[in-house]
Structure formats: structure tokens, C-alpha cells
Amino acid sequence: QVQLVESGGGLVQAGGSLRLSCAASGSIFNAMGWYRQASGKQRELVAGITWGGTTNYSDSVKGRFTISRDNAKNTVYLQMNSLKPEDTGVYYCNLKGVVKLPWGQGTQVTVSS
């Protein structure tokens, strides 16, 4: 089964930027998404991208985050700009939709004010 490994998180000041990566162990032809889980809250979808590159975003990140994918490298990216303290959480990637792959370990993003 395909495994997902997220990386690129860290501690950043408000207004800063980070670029997250999600490497899959095999090809994924489905739409992919980046999910965020803040402490004590449910995991939420913040950005999605189809195999062909069509993107969508939650209102909370629209205009600040950009999702992209390199199908040849089986990798999905999330460029996060103008970060806010409320963007703090563990970020995961996975398929969009009901069917999911096993979740990776995620990558922690902490935005200080």
C-alpha cells in the first residue's frame, strides 16, 4: 500500500512562510489534499488538487496557501505564505474524498505571534 511522508514544518513568526512536502511511495492518480489538525480540534481539509492540477482551498487559507504536485516525483507541496498563529497545527496529506490511505506522521507547523 502507498505510504505518505510529510516534511517541511517548523516554527515560524507570523507573516512568515513555509513549504511543506508530501512524498508518496507510489503513484497516486487521485485528487490529493492537505489537512490540518489543530490541538483539540478535528482534522480539516485546507487545500486540494486533482491529478490534472485543478486546485481548491478553504476560505481560511485562500490567497495565502498554494498547493501543487509533481506527478513524476509522486510529491505534493503546500506553499504557505503570510502565516498566522491560527495556522498552527499538524499538517497531513492524503487522498481527497471518503477513501483514505494510511495517515502519515504529519509535520508540525507552529506560528508564533
Side-chain angles (χ1 to χ4, degrees):
Q1 197 168 22
V2 175
Q3 295 182 325
L4 303 168
V5 179
E6 300 91 350
S7 62
L11 173 63
V12 64
Q13 288 188 333
S17 299
L18 285 173
R19 188 191 193 209
L20 307 184
S21 297
C22 167
S25 60
S27 297
I28 298 178
F29 301 98
N30 308 68
M32 292 290 293
W34 277 99
Y35 299 78
R36 173 173 70 198
Q37 187 165 24
S39 180
K41 295 187 177 181
Q42 287 192 335
R43 195 173 291 166
E44 60 171 340
L45 176 68
V46 297
I49 186 167
T50 65
W51 169 261
T54 300
T55 59
N56 65 283
Y57 301 92
S58 67
D59 288 343
S60 64
V61 308
K62 196 173 296 182
R64 300 186 298 120
F65 290 10
T66 302
I67 187 172
S68 61
R69 68 190 292 169
D70 185 334
N71 294 326
K73 295 182 178 179
N74 301 325
T75 302
V76 181
Y77 304 97
L78 187 67
Q79 177 66 44
M80 305 187 296
N81 298 329
S82 302
L83 282 161
K84 304 176 181 180
E86 51 263 45
D87 295 318
T88 294
V90 181
Y91 284 71
Y92 303 87
C93 65
N94 211 314
L95 306 179
K96 284 189 66 179
V98 175
V99 177
K100 293 287 191 287
L101 295 170
W103 293 93
Q105 83 288 350
T107 187
Q108 175 71 45
V109 172
T110 303
V111 184
S112 64
S113 57

